[in-house]
Amino acid sequence: MDTKYIFVTGGVVSSLGKGIISASIGKLLQARGYKVTIQKFDPYINIDPGTLNPYEHGECYVTEDGMETDLDLGHYERFTGIHTTRHNSITTGRIYKAVIDRERRGDYLGKTIQVVPHITDEIKRRMLRSPLPTFCPPSLTLPNCSASNRQLPRGEETYSPNHPPLGGQEGGLDFVITEVGGTIGDIESAPFMEAIRQLRWQLGRDAVCVHLTYVPYLKAADELKTKPTQHSVKELQGMGIQPDILVLRTERHLDDAMRLKVAGFCNVDLECVVQSEDMPSIYEVPVNMQKQGLDAAILRKIGIPVGETPAMKPWRDFLEKQRNAKRELHIGLVGKYDLQDAYKSIRESLNLAGIYNDVKAKIHFINSEEVTKENIAEKLDGMAGIVICPGFGQRGIEGKIIAAEYTRTHDIPTFGICLGMQMMVIEFARNVLGYQDANSAEMNPDTPHNVIDIMEEQKNITQMGGTMRLGAYECELKEGSRAYEAYRPTPDPSRDGGELLIKERHRHRYEFNNKYKEEYEAAGMKCVGINPAADLVEIVEIPEKRWYIGAQFHPEYSSTVLHPHPLFMSFVKTCLNG
Ligand code: GLN
């Protein structure tokens, strides 16, 4: 089957959950046996969200191939289990950079470089995931998909030369789902809308536009209002895009008359007006969408026989477990970003591990900036375990160190992730090894006891964007360690000689300083996960504690609904047996 394209746009307000709807569509099509991928196009100018403060845009998610991306990619992976890549997260900045780099190379010599066609063509190429030149059916002679594109060289933009060009490596996708960030009417998303308009026209039935809007409920009038949806669709139509399917986000049930009204005013078939009511959990959304026939409507629009509705047994079994998980498990999240989305993947990983252990993880944010030696006992009161969060810079680190000391000395299960692991290491140096001034070179480059030091390969790097140690690297686990036991139930063909080889994703510049390794091990903190290529310490643990493990990598990025991460599973299990 030729690849089909689904475009997901949003209107009326932001934060409607386009990412969840896109991930749900992906899940539903996957359940029907189709090969799918989901990609996000963000209209901001940053090359990637790697340099963004989490307060601006929530968590920065990292793909296996080392792209720093929007947190929606986390939803895509958690829902579908697919591995996204750098081709699944595109920004306006990346589009412009690719075009400007080519212009500087002289590839367009003689041409005036313009938003239309050059920027829109670059957007289209990436939406289609095709290598250059841009897709252009011979029968169509749109001026903007001709000469200028055909002359372009193959290849990704120059800042990531180590990665394969678009397309080619993934062949055989049945569906490419493209979510466009922002809200219809934003000035900055106009080129993306124009690209969708052109593709819709060129691809005919091979493309479907799904538009997500909001139907507010006015309490005083006791009425649901469809006018914002009508306006949003008009705006889309004004840009030449007729949505095929409308997903109406609503807090109240919409009756058929209401849906009919929307259908009539928006030129959309009644069966293509789907409602997405608030659900107790985002993981209920795919089955709710299936119940309303969203996937069937998409297939019908494209002209594919709908066939039987898949049972989605594993997913439904998970939902059943989720509904039954009533007992609460209190976990403290020690971090500096007082914002739900800042630690999105960690929260979801804890939720998922909780559900598989038949409990509801109640996550309590503990602001590390407010933690003191005096109040730590009170702050952690009632917590079955804590996660010490990743992060950058000085702010809030002393609170993380105080928390690490308290949980170590009180034997409370503790999971340090990236900076969290580094803080566990520093705490141990200060309070066990006796190096009062121990620190990370990140916080104090002149610290005499730099137990966390800058990685060799990072020393000469001056540019901030995309230059950390990013993506998946191997790690060998020491037999008999708690980390090893946590991973062991997963049969891994790469197991060899009593050691387990795992692969986890990273995002850091600093590392455990191997100079101190023997001292740590002698004093009881063991280095139980090592990257074989660089001899870099990836996991530390104190075996005599119930669960005191720090990971330099980010296990939260690879925890999915059907495959919760073994470290989170093991951590939650220990917290439960308190
Ligand atoms: N700031 C630390 C480093 O760069 C930790 C990074 C993180 O927590 N993601 O090594």
Side-chain angles (χ1 to χ4, degrees):
M1 165 173 126
D2 286 345
T3 309
K4 315 292 178 198
Y5 298 87
I6 299 169
F7 299 102
V8 182
T9 57
V12 183
V13 288
S14 59
S15 304
L16 286 179
K18 273 197 307 269
I20 305 293
I21 292 294
S22 304
S24 300
I25 293 173
K27 180 77 214 168
L28 293 177
L29 293 171
Q30 207 183 36
R32 290 176 177 271
Y34 295 111
K35 201 169 162 214
V36 301
T37 196
I38 317 176
Q39 50 188 7
K40 174 95 189 264
F41 282 56
D42 272 307
Y44 51 73
I45 315 276
N46 305 60
I47 294 285
D48 60 49
T51 52
L52 288 177
N53 184 322
Y55 281 127
E56 296 269 323
H57 213 67
E59 163 189 285
C60 175
Y61 186 79
V62 179
T63 59
E64 280 214 316
D65 68 342
M67 184 77 196
E68 297 173 284
T69 74
D70 185 82
L71 58 77
D72 273 325
L73 271 80
H75 292 309
Y76 305 163
E77 292 208 6
R78 281 189 289 275
F79 276 58
T80 63
I82 55 171
H83 284 168
T84 54
T85 70
R86 60 188 47 247
H87 306 313
N88 292 60
S89 177
I90 307 291
T91 65
T92 290
R94 256 178 105 187
I95 301 282
Y96 270 80
K97 184 160 191 319
V99 171
I100 291 170
D101 282 350
R102 278 187 216 128
E103 187 275 333
R104 290 290 81 183
R105 274 205 307 266
D107 295 342
Y108 300 103
L109 270 191
K111 287 270 172 228
T112 308
I113 312 305
Q114 295 178 295
V115 173
V116 180
H118 301 95
I119 295 298
T120 47
D121 275 355
E122 183 61 18
I123 295 173
K124 281 161 62 185
R125 179 174 80 82
R126 287 164 185 268
M127 285 178 166
L128 295 169
R129 299 172 77 82
S130 56
L132 291 167
T134 301
F135 164 86
C136 179
S139 59
L140 298 175
T141 47
L142 271 185
N144 55 4
C145 58
S146 58
S148 68
N149 303 314
R150 294 224 173 90
Q151 296 161 4
L152 300 181
R154 285 170 174 263
E156 179 62 294
E157 56 271 59
T158 47
Y159 85 102
S160 60
N162 298 330
H163 291 281
L166 279 160
Q169 80 278 28
E170 60 181 3
L173 282 173
D174 298 315
F175 285 94
V176 174
I177 300 162
T178 300
E179 176 192 347
V180 179
T183 309
I184 291 308
D186 293 346
I187 290 175
E188 56 187 17
S189 61
F192 295 92
M193 295 305 138
E194 170 59 12
I196 294 177
R197 183 196 68 74
Q198 292 182 20
L199 284 177
R200 182 79 179 79
W201 187 73
Q202 291 174 343
L203 292 164
R205 284 190 90 178
D206 284 351
V208 167
C209 294
V210 178
H211 188 55
L212 187 67
T213 72
Y214 180 54
V215 178
Y217 169 71
L218 291 189
K219 202 165 157 214
D222 188 25
E223 269 182 68
L224 284 153
K225 292 292 183 190
T226 64
K227 191 75 85 187
T229 295
Q230 296 175 42
H231 280 299
S232 178
V233 172
K234 269 212 183 88
E235 183 109 29
L236 253 188
Q237 289 166 337
M239 289 184 274
I241 301 172
Q242 170 60 47
D244 299 289
I245 292 169
L246 293 176
V247 178
L248 311 179
R249 284 282 290 115
T250 171
E251 285 153 41
R252 302 271 172 128
H253 187 76
L254 303 173
D255 59 20
D256 286 351
M258 196 69 109
R259 285 176 46 240
L260 193 60
K261 183 174 165 189
V262 171
F265 280 116
C266 300
N267 302 346
V268 174
D269 301 336
L270 179 60
E271 59 160 32
C272 292
V273 181
V274 165
Q275 61 182 309
S276 175
E277 285 178 78
D278 283 356
M279 292 275 129
S281 147
I282 53 172
Y283 302 118
E284 300 273 357
V285 176
V287 290
N288 182 36
M289 290 298 101
Q290 187 189 50
K291 201 164 87 193
Q292 297 195 54
L294 175 59
D295 52 340
I298 289 172
L299 294 176
R300 241 177 260 122
K301 277 282 162 197
I302 289 174
I304 298 175
V306 174
E308 270 181 39
T309 306
M312 308 229 312
K313 173 123 174 47
W315 192 273
R316 284 180 197 274
D317 288 348
F318 161 81
L319 291 181
E320 200 49 38
K321 260 183 130 23
Q322 175 170 256
R323 288 178 206 129
N324 292 332
K326 300 247 161 59
R327 189 179 142 202
E328 292 186 341
L329 180 71
H330 299 274
I331 307 279
L333 207 62
V334 182
K336 66 175 168 180
Y337 299 111
D338 190 2
L339 177 87
Q340 289 268 342
D341 277 355
Y343 305 113
K344 187 82 191 159
S345 294
I346 295 180
R347 285 174 180 273
E348 291 307 322
S349 299
L350 287 169
N351 283 338
L352 296 170
I355 291 162
Y356 281 98
N357 280 292
D358 303 313
V359 287
K360 194 178 166 62
K362 276 290 249 194
I363 298 165
H364 303 261
F365 176 72
I366 297 163
N367 191 335
S368 58
E369 281 190 283
E370 291 164 10
V371 167
T372 62
K373 278 199 186 268
E374 290 69 43
N375 68 17
I376 184 67
E378 187 195 325
K379 296 244 181 220
L380 298 189
D381 188 33
M383 297 301 135
I386 69 161
V387 173
I388 309 181
C389 291
F392 295 85
Q394 179 74 37
R395 189 165 68 84
I397 65 153
E398 292 303 327
K400 287 182 177 174
I401 293 172
I402 292 168
E405 179 186 7
Y406 186 86
T407 54
R408 180 178 58 78
T409 50
H410 291 76
D411 204 4
I412 299 169
T414 306
F415 193 177
I417 299 178
C418 207
L419 185 72
M421 169 267 200
Q422 297 176 354
M423 294 304 116
M424 287 163 114
V425 167
I426 293 170
E427 187 279 318
F428 198 83
R430 289 186 187 175
N431 300 320
V432 180
L433 304 182
Y435 300 132
Q436 291 301 323
D437 50 9
N439 211 336
S440 162
E442 178 180 4
M443 315 308 164
N444 176 7
D446 304 319
T447 184
H449 293 103
N450 51 345
V451 292
I452 301 295
D453 200 10
I454 182 109
M455 279 183 276
E456 196 53 41
E457 69 207 46
Q458 289 285 327
K459 283 187 179 157
N460 296 321
I461 289 176
T462 49
Q463 294 251 54
M464 291 290 276
T467 55
M468 280 186 257
R469 179 173 182 249
L470 291 166
Y473 287 89
E474 285 182 343
C475 168
E476 258 174 27
L477 300 175
K478 289 269 150 55
E479 190 167 5
S481 65
R482 192 150 294 144
Y484 175 91
E485 292 305 325
Y487 277 94
R488 209 157 58 113
T490 324
D492 188 328
S494 60
R495 255 190 90 186
D496 181 29
E499 286 184 335
L500 193 62
L501 199 61
I502 54 162
K503 241 182 166 184
E504 295 284 1
R505 301 182 207 183
H506 298 71
R507 183 175 187 241
H508 64 124
R509 289 186 207 283
Y510 297 83
E511 63 173 331
F512 181 94
N513 187 344
N514 276 329
K515 212 172 83 187
Y516 293 93
K517 194 165 160 187
E518 278 179 23
E519 272 185 81
Y520 273 88
E521 299 229 313
M525 183 177 264
K526 307 284 183 197
C527 302
V528 298
I530 308 285
N531 170 256
D535 195 27
L536 191 149
V537 174
E538 299 278 18
I539 308 177
V540 295
E541 71 178 40
I542 303 183
E544 70 176 39
K545 301 290 170 196
R546 288 172 58 212
W547 211 100
Y548 198 85
I549 300 184
Q552 183 59 77
F553 52 81
H554 291 264
E556 71 273 22
Y557 294 146
S558 48
S559 203
T560 70
V561 172
L562 298 183
H563 297 282
H565 194 282
L567 281 178
F568 281 96
M569 285 294 281
S570 158
F571 170 66
V572 164
K573 203 171 277 158
T574 309
C575 292
L576 260 172
N577 300 330

